[in-house]
Amino acid sequence: MSGCTRLLTLALVALIAAACGGTQQPPAEQAKPAEPAAPAAGVAAAMHENLARVTVMQEAVIRGDIEAAAEPAKWIAENQPTAGLPAGQETVLADMKKQAAVVAGATDFKNAATATAMVVSYCGACHKAAQYTPSIPEPVKPAAEPGIRTYMVEHQWAADLLYQGLVIPSEERWQQGLAAMAVAPLAEKDRPKDAALTKEILEMGKKVQELAGKAKAAPDIGMKVAYYGEYLAGCASCHGLHGKVWGPGIPK
Ligand code: HEC
Ligand code: HEC
């Protein structure tokens, strides 16, 4: 009996399909209840978005461009998955969203830098608790050439390694970042000719080497967040001073 009904349905489907030019999906197929989406797939997609936004946010903060940091920060604060996340991480998620909102509303680069460091640390806190290690490709080491641009790109590489070290989290990548951060200050001949800037650049070289040394001896996450935040704020303080013409993400 049911076989009969099925045949009849199939015949009807064929008829309807033929009537519609045979190009459409049989309605019986469409009527099937949709499989519930696997929560992990939704989470993974959201996580890729998270990573892309964090990258843009970090670059904007480094550039001292608080306005540009607001959009990705707002996205992170407002677009997190509500299902499929590891149990017991609700507070971490809430704290991450709160800090992203702080970046979105920041009016000075210091607050933006600190809150960015906090956001990134919460990414890693959840992954660690879930015992999940996202595979994030390592940033490419820039070619070692003399000159200020390469010097800057090396520091960008260091900042990228550090934030990946916090997001994954990975002690190895964090340590690679600290090593990259401690690159030799610019050679005299490679320094920009602007007298005031020469002094700033000189101080930057010494300051970040000191910071990298201190951070090497700081194993806990609170200290890491503080040092990474300070590093970012240092970049912003110089780039921001000179308008939005210096720093990552500026078309050359
Ligand atoms: C509340 C927990 C939680 C927070 C917060 C969190 N993640 Fe995740 N993340 C996960 C889980 C769970 C997975 C594994 C998803 C899966 O099953 O593929 C994941 C996976 C990832 C992946 C790998 C995706 C893939 O499968 O290829 C990346 C990249 C990632 N997260 C980045 C981030 C970034 C960046 C942040 C912070 C802005 C963040 N995550 C915050 C829980 C979290
Ligand atoms: C004392 C001032 C100063 C500080 C501090 C500083 N920068 Fe820069 N940055 C510059 C100047 C000047 C340029 C423009 C160089 C050029 O293109 O001639 C620049 C450009 C850049 C660029 C663009 C390079 C290119 O042309 O592709 C990046 C990336 C960058 N900085 C990253 C950083 C990072 C990361 C930090 C912090 C760790 C940082 N900078 C700290 C002065 C500074």
Side-chain angles (χ1 to χ4, degrees):
M1 184 63 196
S2 67
C4 237
T5 318
R6 203 140 125 219
L7 261 181
L8 201 71
T9 315
L10 279 175
L12 261 173
V13 165
L15 209 72
I16 293 164
C20 299
T23 52
Q24 286 182 350
Q25 280 279 313
E29 283 280 309
Q30 287 181 351
K32 245 200 235 162
E35 292 267 326
V43 170
M47 289 299 152
H48 283 284
E49 285 288 329
N50 267 343
L51 187 66
R53 307 288 165 150
V54 158
T55 307
V56 174
M57 184 169 83
Q58 187 207 234
E59 283 196 348
V61 169
I62 285 174
R63 210 161 59 231
D65 191 351
I66 311 302
E67 291 87 356
E71 194 279 328
K74 194 165 179 286
W75 191 93
I76 292 169
E78 293 174 359
N79 292 279
Q80 292 307 312
T82 51
L85 289 171
Q89 296 308 306
E90 294 78 10
T91 324
V92 171
L93 186 71
D95 286 345
M96 183 187 81
K97 286 158 75 172
K98 209 162 89 188
Q99 289 302 324
V102 171
V103 178
T107 48
D108 74 276
F109 62 78
K110 271 213 166 111
N111 287 342
T114 308
T116 294
M118 302 274 271
V119 169
V120 165
S121 76
Y122 288 125
C123 309
C126 184
H127 297 154
K128 193 176 171 190
Q131 294 183 303
Y132 179 78
T133 308
S135 66
I136 300 176
E138 208 180 298
V140 180
K141 187 182 196 303
E145 284 161 21
I148 183 163
R149 283 187 66 172
T150 303
Y151 178 73
M152 289 297 155
V153 172
E154 276 177 340
H155 278 288
Q156 184 61 46
W157 179 57
D160 289 343
L161 284 165
L162 290 175
Y163 104 82
Q164 290 190 352
L166 295 174
V167 165
I168 295 174
S170 156
E171 185 62 27
E172 190 191 342
R173 225 161 275 187
W174 172 259
Q175 291 296 335
Q176 276 176 278
L178 292 183
M181 198 177 152
V183 288
L186 268 179
E188 181 75 51
K189 63 173 173 45
D190 297 324
R191 284 178 203 146
K193 298 306 160 224
D194 180 322
L197 196 59
T198 299
K199 190 168 158 280
E200 282 178 340
I201 295 269
L202 254 176
E203 281 168 3
M204 170 190 170
K206 273 190 286 177
K207 265 209 304 237
V208 295
Q209 279 187 328
E210 278 169 23
L211 193 63
K214 281 194 273 180
K216 247 181 130 63
D220 73 286
I221 186 68
M223 304 279 270
K224 285 181 176 175
V225 167
Y227 287 129
Y228 168 69
E230 200 178 327
Y231 189 42
L232 292 190
C235 318
S237 70
C238 183
H239 296 157
L241 259 185
H242 300 269
K244 286 160 203 161
V245 292
W246 294 342
I250 293 169
K252 296 284 172 220

